[in-house]
Amino acid sequence: MENQIEWEVAGMSCTNCAMTVEKQLKASDLEAIEVDFMAGAVRFSNPNKKDLQGVEKAINQLGYKVLHADAPGQARKASFWKTLLSTPLRRFIFCLVFTLPLWLHMIVHLPILSKAWFQLLLSLPVLFTGLYYFGRSGWHSLKKGIPNMNVLVTLGSLSAFIYSLYGTLTGRPENYLFYETSATIFTLVFMGGWLESRTVAQTQSAIKSLVVDQKIMANMLTYGADQEAIIFQVDSENLKVGDLLLIKSGETVPKDCKILSGTAAIDESILTGESLPVNKTTGELLVGGSTVIHGNLKVYVTAVGKDTVLQHMLQLVQKAQQEKPPMQLLADRISAVFVPVVLGLALLGFLINYFFAGQLFTESLMRAVAVLVIACPCAMGLATPAGIAVGLGRAAKKGILFKNARALEDFKNIRRIVFDKTGTLTTGAFQLGAFEYDPELGEAAFKALIFALEKYSNHPLAKTIVQHWKPGLNTGTASGDQVKIPRFAQVEEIKAVGMKGTLQDGQHIWAVSGAKAAELTGSTSLDDRHHLYLVKEHQLLGRVDFKDTIRPEAPEIIRTLQAGGFQVSMLSGDSQSNCEAVAGELGITEFYAKRTPDEKQEIINVMRSKEPVMMVGDGINDSPALAAATVGVSLSSATQIAMQTADVLLIQQGLTHLPLALGLGRHTYLTIKQNLFWAFAYNVIAIPIAGAGLLSPSFAALAMGLSDVVLGFNSIRLRWKNVALHS
């Protein structure tokens, strides 16, 4: 997008923070705004060429920090105090130094520790630090109409300080001495912020591990006038698509590449999470960031920057992370009004305690302060994103990409799984079987006609023909004559039918299924026992058979799913006999054969009307069914349109990680439910306890600081929790 800008913004910890920043950006007339508080990223466009210095300043005033803004003046040298207090940990330690002596007066009886003026002096540095970081943010959030948690923290601490200061100035410190409460609130909230930032960072660690620093030196290969190879090193950031490279044993693949020559063992754990190396040879693709264990390769660069596989994965995961599943919407609505409600409850509690419960003014005030401090809207805003971040990150490390967060939630209801056959349950790596042709046409001309059509298709059968017959057509016939490949004026691929080519003289050549061949020739003897028929106008020229093999992992995957209580079906455009053979070998009792894309979509629609259904497919003809399913799953070998339509992509090892994807979806949803329960239960229980005087403001601050940490650790459990289905 034109004028697209991305900033890194520190300090956002929940949905409430994100809403505050988003409202500020909208007020600044910026467009296409996306705020991802988990990743600390803000994206927007600036079509009106607005001065971004003012926008950056406004965000900083809200208590957040723009770290990498496209605005001038970013490199200004920070002052000593800003450097000293530049991180949550440093702010916590700074305040703790002054707060500890205030705690000592409760256990160590030194006269100076009980002096009001001494406690005032100790509390002032903490107060000023708290007001700078929490007070400013709270004040500006009030002006923007979205009061945040800092309003509650600031009011609580400031109330205790002002009350204590009043007692000090009037000479009655014995009943008004709450300086340690004021300092403790800010100190423990700083501690909670530090722990929270660490927890959020851990929930993001799996996703951040996809961000590979690929600024390495690459061996660029070029040739001189005498065709002698010249190798020189360049920064990988300067590589372009098409550059020739030499990658040696032990080196990192700098960008996505395709092997021109050589064989090597490649560590692709960065993409698949698997430690065992895979063998790669000529014609195969390498992922940038993988490592050559042994072997030397000559390659050319196929993608750089945001077009690489890892960057594409990261973009998909980040996009899914920003989406909000339905269960989060209620929490967001409550978070938006949470602070005003808590302010009202604190005031109401003070009035009830003072005027109706017979409590002294001091006790009533401390109870109101405890209510302000213990309330935590961040927990509700963090509950879903924390769980999603860990779930998506673990999935991505195993090559499972959720393109939207909705799919994670939809997985919990899936009981029926429908598989395509060709390229999904089977390898799609067909072998040529028997073929017959018209003797008058001849074998060479027969092969040339089919090759000339099928080279324009991505269908697995077409790829098999091209792979097996191209070398022979290039070298000529057994008699030494070079085979002439026909040139078509037009070639068209028709879904679930085959290929249609128009010759220069206007005649039509078809490479199609048995049903279409019977229609074209008017023959009733043609059926789907053979895979491919060659027809010229209305004349049958020959047929080709193929042999397909079932994926090695497919039998175990089907058994695992059936043992897990899933109803497994197969939906294919292939012949009845072929489908029956594959279904029988895999133990699938329900299958549909000879179905067009429209018929596949209709079958999925009927199934979905009864129960949620997952469709797993890889071809162009699967895309309508993938779109119609509750959750569509596609493989990395799928066509581009199938991958775009699917909700979930299995990047590596075929169907191997499908049970893990299902398990992660279910357990991520369970974790989010647990997080939301904790967030709501904490606030529902903690606020009345504080209002009843059963919790001091200091302990309330500690409880609030730890509430998000509990939630974060519950989410982090997903990183090692056993979630996969087992047979």
Side-chain angles (χ1 to χ4, degrees), residues 97-126:
V97 169
F98 294 96
T99 305
L100 280 174
L102 292 173
W103 293 344
L104 285 176
H105 91 278
M106 294 181 287
I107 55 176
V108 179
H109 299 290
L110 292 177
I112 191 172
L113 294 178
S114 301
K115 296 293 184 182
W117 289 103
F118 180 74
Q119 292 193 19
L120 170 62
L121 291 174
L122 285 174
S123 65
L124 282 176
V126 181

Side-chain angles (χ1 to χ4, degrees), residues 600-611:
K600 286 185 176 183
Q601 183 181 34
E602 182 59 32
I603 290 171
I604 294 297
N605 282 331
V606 171
M607 290 180 176
R608 189 176 180 181
S609 66
K610 300 175 182 177
E611 60 183 342

Side-chain angles (χ1 to χ4, degrees), residues 254-314:
K255 300 292 178 184
D256 289 2
C257 302
K258 188 171 186 178
I259 301 175
L260 289 173
S261 64
T263 301
I266 309 297
D267 177 3
E268 291 188 330
S269 58
I270 188 173
L271 177 67
T272 66
E274 301 297 333
S275 57
L276 293 177
V278 294
N279 293 320
K280 297 275 187 174
T281 188
T282 302
E284 295 189 274
L285 299 175
L286 300 176
V287 176
S290 56
T291 303
V292 177
I293 302 300
H294 59 78
N296 295 324
L297 300 172
K298 185 166 74 172
V299 304
Y300 72 90
V301 178
T302 57
V304 297
K306 293 185 177 181
D307 296 327
T308 61
V309 171
L310 282 177
Q311 285 299 317
H312 181 60
M313 286 178 62
L314 185 62

